[in-house]
Amino acid sequence: MLSMPPMRMLTAAALSLLASTMAAGAAGAPFDGRWSVLVLTQSGPCDPGYRYEVNVSQGKVIYAGDAAIGMQGTVTPSGQVKVSVGQGGQHASGSGHLSANAGSGTWRGGASNQQCSGRWEAERR
């Protein structure tokens, strides 16, 4: 992912961010483990979708990818997810909910004057 077009990087960043959202929580124990996150674009010029694997340990997100992406996110004890991610001039944010083995939510992001949005789905592996 080192030389992706800007919108592809944004979509990748959004996915990574959303994946990390599931993991980076104050009450991480219920959500610890390996998660697979699918990010789908529903509006805008971003790539249609990506799937990423993340590991959650003690409520912290451990991104397993190679991209240099800045991520911040939380998962409340009830599973509410809020996350933001950025790379260069690109940014994305997402929110949603996790249950014991699955989760879903929405994301929105952009770079310059291009905006994208969509949904994400997660499943415990």
Side-chain angles (χ1 to χ4, degrees), residues 31-117:
F31 305 105
D32 280 3
R34 186 174 175 182
W35 291 84
S36 179
V37 180
L38 176 63
V39 174
L40 300 166
T41 299
Q42 295 176 305
S43 175
C46 297
D47 284 348
Y50 285 97
R51 182 174 295 276
Y52 288 88
E53 301 292 323
V54 296
N55 292 311
V56 178
S57 178
Q58 298 178 12
K60 305 273 188 211
V61 174
I62 301 168
Y63 172 59
D66 296 331
I69 297 170
M71 292 186 266
Q72 295 182 31
T74 59
V75 178
T76 67
S78 64
Q80 293 297 315
V81 175
K82 289 190 188 254
V83 65
S84 63
V85 65
Q87 181 178 32
Q90 303 168 353
H91 65 279
S93 61
S95 62
H97 187 266
L98 291 180
S99 64
N101 295 308
S104 64
T106 59
W107 69 272
R108 176 175 302 275
S112 301
N113 62 351
Q114 297 179 327
Q115 297 294 309
C116 297
S117 62

